[in-house]
């Protein structure tokens, strides 16, 4: 079943001051004409409803105090759904639990640098042997 479109028809002001009534006719789709007699001052036809995407044919005839009828003013339209749905309800965040991540391992400390080897002390030079005393020359 198609959605029902609610609508109203806005009428023009009466065509002459001596208009006492108006004949409004509406045909929806292939349906039978719905003829309504309105007060001569009527400017709106309310409470109308029809299937979405149905073609609607309208006509309006003004009738004066002498019973004379005007030419019909006509219009055709389609009951197109142009009404947006209402705003959705309020969004909500619901906390449903908690997790505990594994702690990150602490980084390994940098190894202590190897101590530089101490330079070996240079050996002290051996003292040069003292020359042997020369024998005294013989006389």
């Amino acid at each position: 079943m198609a959605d029902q479109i609610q609508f109203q028809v806005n009428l023009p002001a009466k065509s002459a001051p001596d208009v006492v009534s108006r004949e409004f006719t509406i045909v929806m789709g292939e349906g039978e004409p719905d003829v309504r007699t309105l007060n001569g001052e009527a400017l709106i036809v309310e409470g109308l409803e029809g299937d979405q995407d149905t073609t609607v044919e309208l006509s309006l005839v003004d009738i004066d105090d002498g019973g004379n009828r005007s030419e019909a003013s006509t219009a055709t339209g389609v009951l197109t759904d142009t009404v947006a749905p209402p705003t959705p309800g309020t969004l909500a965040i619901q906390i449903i639990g908690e997790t505990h991540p594994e702690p990150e391992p602490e980084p390994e400390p940098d190894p202590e640098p190897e101590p530089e080897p101490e330079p070996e002390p240079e050996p002290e030079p051996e003292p040069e042997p003292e020359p042997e005393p020369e024998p005294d020359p013989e006389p």
Side-chain angles (χ1 to χ4, degrees):
M1 180 174 190
D3 287 345
Q4 294 289 297
I5 304 297
Q6 300 168 343
F7 64 102
Q8 69 182 29
V9 176
N10 298 322
L11 305 174
K14 62 184 180 177
S15 58
D18 62 344
V19 169
V20 293
S21 65
R22 306 181 106 178
E23 185 180 272
F24 173 76
T25 304
I26 182 168
V27 178
M28 290 196 230
E30 301 297 318
E32 294 294 315
D34 177 5
V35 181
R36 301 177 185 196
T37 301
L38 308 174
N39 176 303
E41 303 296 323
L43 295 176
I44 295 177
V45 179
E46 299 177 297
L48 302 171
E49 186 173 87
D51 289 341
Q52 179 176 319
D53 299 324
T54 297
T55 298
V56 177
E57 296 176 20
L58 308 171
S59 73
L60 179 66
V61 174
D62 281 347
I63 303 167
D64 67 14
D65 55 2
N68 300 307
R69 298 170 60 86
S70 70
E71 293 285 323
S73 175
T74 62
T76 302
V78 176
L79 299 179
T80 303
D81 182 356
T82 59
V83 179
T87 302
T90 303
L91 299 174
I93 296 173
Q94 180 180 5
I95 305 301
I96 58 172
E98 176 179 38
T99 59
H100 302 283
E102 293 292 321
E104 290 188 25
E106 291 191 26
E108 295 283 327
D110 288 340
E112 291 287 326
E114 291 285 325
E116 290 188 27
E118 291 187 27
E120 288 187 27
E122 289 188 26
E124 290 190 29
E126 286 190 31
E128 287 188 26
E130 290 191 24
E132 285 189 34
E134 287 189 26
D136 285 333
E138 282 192 41

